[in-house]
């Protein structure tokens, strides 16, 4: 534990907040763990019952309070446990990107929406690896400090 | 421990922030209240007291007697509308809204009360303001709303300070025309291109009055001050009442030379001045007579919050009176001018059934006065038109911004003297 922290202080590691829906993405992440697919340890998963629960404010607040990237993940369109929750998410997310993230001057790659189902453990590890590498390339969100 | 240290590192530390802080914050609230002699006029006039239990005079007395801690932990001051009606009627000029502002800062510091619970729209727009206050953030605004006939530039003399209106598009579409119409009016009158900046930040009004985040407000103010200097502007025009108040009063409190360097005008004030100078006249687009009964809602920031010497409230009524020849007859609402009722929400605080009752009352007054309600505060428009979705009887009122109202009426007077 202490060793890993010492390592982190030497080299910058991104902090990524991830919102996962309970029925698909969280189970998908679970499957990735059970099947021992490797992915970087930079993500912190917050479980929500549906991706529709995630208010756009949560994503902005995460960035405000020190996250370098935010990943929102839910069931594929049509597979939502609550029938249409993820359709609302999709709509809201597009608007958030177009009107707020873009106009604030935040790099659009820092905030991402992905659909991962419960059976896609492999895909989950790929998505997280790719997203973490992308954030690492972009550097810390708060460059001044 | 290591985490604590890391958190400390993230917060930007500015050495001169304390100097600015002293100008806008007084930790000893009792100092500001000593003049109060409990005439309780504030409690009588308070608009919130009509819909819930809220007595400013009693709160003042409790603070004076040493129960400041109790007032702050109870969170009662979160409910205040900061509409300033109490100051308007106070014989001793005790500024209760200022006390509320400082108390909210204290609440933030102590984590005694989670303010975020009472912020409307889950604090979306205040989070945006805070994000903009970070020094590394460079907003890249979308300027596609600029009309084709208007010329804009990055530097110049006259600037149009757009404010947060482009961000409100996320949930509302009532304000889509306000920035473009304002720009149309200004460029009709001025010959030179108008300065509209892509990297303009929020003015910080909501952080200052509602959220008690003075540090972020100071950072925003500094950012904007630098921006104005970089653009080389001398006149700043805004179409937002809250932005007007913040730029005109709060920024000149922070920076001693702000009022000397920049002249801040609301678009309504600007239209009045140009009309008085004879540069513009009011004409219907096709010279057709119309028959419109309209009324004007005074937003608190362009009314009770104005400096005492300002005559803007009377001036605009003079201008509205002249519109009668075009068929626009102006009617006053029951409560008008300095006694105008509040729209019920300020700085995105407290959108609840009590504040909705206040808004409903105001819209009923508007309905009695005419079919169109003109106002000069974009947020008032949002709050009112949001309530119109809930109640059918007030849905017929047309709510317009001053810029939308004037854009087709203003015509530039051609200078005939030069031709002779």
């Amino acid at each position: 534990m202490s060793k890993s922290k010492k390592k982190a202080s030497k080299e910058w590691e991104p902090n990524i907040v991830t919102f996962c829906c309970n029925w698909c993405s969280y189970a998908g992440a679970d499957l990735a763990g059970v099947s021992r697919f490797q992915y970087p340890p930079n993500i912190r998963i917050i479980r929500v019952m549906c991706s529709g629960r995630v208010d756009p404010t949560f994503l902005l607040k995460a960035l405000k309070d020190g996250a370098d990237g935010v990943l929102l993940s839910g069931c594929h369109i049509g597979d939502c446990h609550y029938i249409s929750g993820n359709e609302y998410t999709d709509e809201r997310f597009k608007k958030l990107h177009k009107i707020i993230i873009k106009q604030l001057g935040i790099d659009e790659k820092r905030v991402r929406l992905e659909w991962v189902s419960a059976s896609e453990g492999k895909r989950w590890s790929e998505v997280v690896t790719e997203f973490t590498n992308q954030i690492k390339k972009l550097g810390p969100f708060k460059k001044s400090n | 421990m290591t985490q604590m240290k890391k958190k400390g590192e993230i917060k930007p530390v500015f050495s001169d922030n304390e100097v600015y802080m002293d100008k806008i914050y007084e930790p000893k609230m009792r100092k500001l209240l000593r003049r109060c002699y409990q005439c309780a006029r504030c409690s009588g006039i308070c608009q919130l007291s009509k819909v819930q239990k809220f007595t400013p005079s009693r709160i003042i007395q409790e603070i004076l007697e040493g129960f400041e801690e109790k007032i702050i932990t109870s969170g009662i001051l979160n409910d205040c509308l900061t509409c300033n009606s109490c100051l308007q009627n106070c014989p001793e000029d005790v500024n209760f809204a200022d006390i509320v502002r400082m108390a909210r800062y204290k609440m933030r510091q102590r984590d005694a009360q989670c303010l975020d619970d009472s912020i409307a729209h889950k604090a979306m727009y205040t989070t945006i303001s805070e994000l903009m206050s970070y020094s590394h953030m460079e907003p890249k605004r979308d300027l596609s709303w600029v009309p084709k006939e208007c010329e804009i530039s990055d530097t110049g003399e006259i600037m149009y300070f757009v404010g947060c209106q482009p961000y409100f598009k996320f949930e509302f579409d009532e304000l889509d025309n306000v920035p473009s119409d304002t720009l149309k009016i200004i460029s009709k009158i001025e010959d030179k291109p108008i300065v509209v900046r892509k990297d303009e930040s929020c003015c910080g009004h909501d952080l200052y009055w509602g959220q008690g985040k003075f540090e972020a407000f100071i950072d925003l103010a500094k950012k904007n001050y630098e921006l104005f200097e970089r653009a080389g502007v001398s006149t700043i025009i805004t179409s937002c009442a809250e932005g007007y108040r913040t730029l005109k009063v709060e920024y000149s409190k922070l920076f001693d030379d702000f009022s000397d360097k920049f002249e801040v005008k609301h678009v309504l004030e600007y239209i009045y001045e140009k009309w008085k100078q004879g540069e513009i006249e009011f004409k219907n687009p096709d010279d057709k007579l119309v028959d419109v009964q309209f009324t004007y809602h005074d937003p608190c920031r362009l009314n009770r919050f104005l400096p005492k010497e300002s005559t803007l409230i009377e001036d605009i009524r003079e201008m509205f009176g002249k519109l009668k020849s075009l068929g626009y007859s102006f009617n006053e609402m029951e409560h008008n001018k300095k006694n105008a009722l509040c729209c019920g929400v300020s700085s995105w605080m407290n959108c609840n059934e009590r504040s909705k009752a206040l808004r409903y009352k105001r819209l009923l007054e508007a309905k009695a006065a005419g079919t169109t309600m003109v106002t000069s505060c974009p947020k008032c428009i949002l709050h009112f038109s949001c309530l119109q979705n809930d109640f059918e009887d007030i849905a017929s009122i047309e709510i317009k911004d001053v810029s939308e109202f004037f854009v087709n009426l203003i015509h530039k007077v051609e200078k005939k003297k030069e031709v002779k």
Side-chain angles (χ1 to χ4, degrees):
Chain A
M1 184 74 182
S2 58
K3 269 183 187 173
S4 66
K5 269 192 180 171
K6 271 178 193 170
K7 265 186 186 175
S9 63
K10 274 178 195 167
E11 205 179 305
W12 174 75
E13 288 286 332
N15 281 322
I16 297 169
V17 175
T18 315
F19 293 95
C20 283
C21 96
N22 181 47
W23 305 101
C24 292
S25 301
Y26 197 79
D30 204 23
L31 183 68
V34 171
S35 340
R36 308 214 167 183
F37 294 127
Q38 297 285 320
Y39 61 84
N42 303 73
I43 60 161
R44 313 281 188 278
I45 297 181
I46 297 171
R47 184 172 65 151
V48 286
M49 286 313 276
C50 176
S51 55
R53 170 68 182 89
V54 180
D55 195 279
T57 318
F58 297 171
L59 310 178
L60 290 178
K61 272 193 180 168
L63 286 175
K64 192 198 89 188
D65 292 339
D68 301 299
V70 189
L71 178 65
L72 169 56
S73 182
C75 311
H76 287 275
I77 295 283
D79 289 351
C80 181
H81 190 78
Y82 307 100
I83 298 162
S84 59
N86 51 6
E87 285 167 20
Y88 290 110
T89 314
D90 195 27
E91 198 181 310
R92 246 178 266 157
F93 203 82
K94 274 176 193 157
K95 241 184 167 181
L96 178 83
H97 255 283
K98 198 180 150 200
I99 294 166
I100 292 177
I101 301 282
K102 208 175 162 193
Q103 291 204 70
L104 275 174
I106 299 173
D107 199 315
E108 285 174 47
K109 289 171 194 158
R110 284 189 193 277
V111 186
R112 193 197 275 193
L113 175 65
E114 283 286 350
W115 308 128
V116 177
S117 83
S119 59
E120 294 176 327
K122 181 85 186 153
R123 191 175 129 74
W124 172 259
S125 77
E126 281 166 12
V127 164
V128 172
T129 316
E130 199 231 331
F131 188 62
T132 312
N133 289 339
Q134 201 175 57
I135 300 293
K136 269 184 186 167
K137 251 187 212 170
L138 289 171
F141 180 54
K142 294 188 178 181
K143 282 164 198 148
S144 56
N145 287 294
Chain B
M1 256 320 267
T2 45
Q3 273 187 342
M4 287 288 279
K5 268 184 187 172
K6 265 188 181 176
K7 264 190 182 174
E9 278 168 16
I10 289 170
K11 272 191 180 173
V13 183
F14 293 104
S15 53
D16 55 343
N17 262 20
E18 279 176 20
V19 182
Y20 290 122
M21 199 65 174
D22 284 344
K23 291 179 185 174
I24 56 169
Y25 177 58
E26 168 62 59
K28 284 175 188 156
M29 296 203 292
R30 288 166 76 180
K31 249 190 202 174
L32 305 166
L33 297 171
R34 287 219 174 103
R35 288 194 309 272
C36 175
Y37 59 74
Q38 287 293 307
C39 65
R41 276 187 220 183
C42 42
S43 302
I45 202 76
C46 179
Q47 300 185 13
L48 198 62
S49 71
K50 313 275 192 292
V51 288
Q52 75 173 77
K53 193 177 173 244
F54 191 80
T55 43
S57 60
R58 195 167 174 156
I59 292 166
I60 290 173
Q61 186 65 15
E62 279 187 55
I63 292 173
L64 281 174
E65 284 176 11
F67 293 103
E68 191 188 307
E69 200 61 41
K70 188 194 145 200
I71 293 290
I72 284 175
T73 45
S74 73
I76 181 78
L77 289 178
N78 277 348
D79 292 347
C80 179
L81 304 169
T82 63
C83 70
N84 241 8
S85 343
C86 39
L87 178 64
Q88 197 59 42
N89 291 277
C90 184
E92 289 288 311
D93 278 345
V94 174
N95 198 337
F96 188 72
D98 250 12
I99 304 296
V100 171
R101 173 172 73 78
M102 287 165 195
R104 282 176 183 169
Y105 179 71
K106 284 192 174 178
M107 285 181 210
R108 277 268 176 224
Q109 274 184 322
R110 287 177 213 185
D111 285 337
Q113 195 79 25
C114 184
L115 272 168
D116 289 350
D117 289 345
S118 48
I119 304 174
H121 296 270
K122 297 214 176 72
M124 179 89 195
Y125 302 103
T126 50
T127 310
I128 294 174
S129 304
E130 251 182 285
L131 266 171
M132 273 195 258
S133 76
Y134 293 136
S135 53
H136 63 273
M137 291 286 292
E138 269 183 33
K140 283 177 196 142
R141 286 167 179 251
D142 178 21
L143 293 183
S144 58
W145 54 267
V146 175
K148 275 176 196 164
E149 66 264 30
C150 301
E151 257 189 273
I152 57 166
S153 70
D154 264 1
T155 50
E157 270 180 24
I158 296 167
M159 179 182 185
Y160 171 40
F161 189 82
V162 187
C164 316
Q165 285 157 46
Y167 296 99
F168 293 159
K169 241 188 204 175
F170 183 61
E171 277 166 292
F172 313 98
D173 44 12
E174 286 89 356
L175 294 179
D176 283 2
N177 293 329
V178 177
S180 57
D181 284 351
T182 313
L183 196 63
K184 267 183 205 168
I185 291 175
I186 303 170
S187 44
K188 247 184 211 178
I189 301 168
E190 302 292 338
D191 304 324
K192 288 172 194 164
I194 314 296
V195 182
V196 178
R197 296 286 298 209
K198 259 190 175 180
D199 50 352
E200 180 192 305
S201 299
C202 161
C203 69
H205 171 277
D206 300 345
L207 300 178
Y208 184 73
W209 286 103
Q211 323 301 320
K213 288 179 178 162
F214 293 161
E215 287 91 354
F217 171 73
I218 292 167
D219 291 342
L220 277 174
K222 277 199 253 176
K223 250 181 147 181
N224 275 323
Y225 184 68
E226 276 167 27
L227 176 81
F228 296 151
E229 279 196 326
R230 244 186 296 141
V233 292
S234 58
T235 309
I236 303 160
I237 300 172
T238 154
S239 55
C240 166
E242 291 180 331
Y244 173 77
R245 152 84 193 185
T246 312
L247 292 180
K248 188 147 181 133
V249 183
E250 257 73 60
Y251 280 17
S252 25
K253 246 191 238 170
L254 281 179
F255 312 107
D256 297 330
D257 54 348
F258 191 86
S259 48
D260 302 330
K261 276 185 182 169
F262 313 109
E263 202 181 350
V264 184
K265 281 179 191 167
H266 190 270
V267 68
L268 201 53
E269 192 184 1
Y270 176 76
I271 294 172
Y272 174 77
E273 273 174 21
K274 293 290 168 189
W275 175 66
K276 266 280 156 184
Q277 289 164 9
E279 286 190 33
I280 53 167
E281 56 184 356
F282 300 122
K283 254 196 275 175
N284 273 329
D286 311 324
D287 285 328
K288 274 181 199 164
L289 267 184
V290 286
D291 184 25
V292 178
Q293 304 277 328
F294 79 101
T295 181
Y296 177 71
H297 165 72
D298 292 90
C300 42
R301 262 63 183 168
L302 217 60
N303 173 5
R304 293 177 286 263
F305 270 86
L306 285 173
K308 273 190 177 165
E309 63 275 10
S310 171
T311 54
L312 186 67
I313 305 171
E314 300 297 332
D315 291 348
I316 46 180
R317 281 176 166 78
E318 184 193 339
M319 196 161 68
F320 287 148
K322 288 282 183 226
L323 293 176
K324 200 163 191 190
S325 56
L326 307 178
Y328 293 94
S329 41
F330 174 63
N331 304 322
E332 286 285 12
M333 277 190 248
E334 196 183 331
H335 293 85
N336 53 52
K337 295 178 188 171
K338 298 251 170 183
N339 297 324
L341 294 183
C342 178
C343 70
V345 184
S346 86
S347 345
W348 297 111
M349 296 290 284
N350 293 308
C351 180
N352 49 32
E353 62 272 26
R354 273 113 55 197
S355 67
K356 273 182 184 168
L358 289 173
R359 243 173 293 163
Y360 185 67
K361 224 162 109 184
R362 188 60 170 163
L363 278 173
L364 282 184
E365 279 186 12
K367 201 185 179 190
T371 51
T372 306
M373 182 167 96
V374 180
T375 185
S376 46
C377 174
K379 277 197 199 147
C380 286
I381 300 177
L382 291 185
H383 301 320
F384 281 133
S385 45
C386 172
L387 192 76
Q388 279 185 320
N389 300 331
D390 296 357
F391 295 94
E392 270 184 20
D393 54 336
I394 48 170
S396 62
I397 307 163
E398 198 183 354
I399 300 166
K400 271 187 176 178
D401 188 75
V402 275
S403 57
E404 287 173 291
F405 183 70
F406 276 113
V407 68
N408 290 324
L409 299 178
I410 289 177
H411 291 271
K412 199 175 181 183
V413 177
E414 283 161 29
K415 284 174 188 166
K416 284 172 187 169
K417 283 174 192 171
E418 284 176 14
V419 181
K420 277 175 189 175

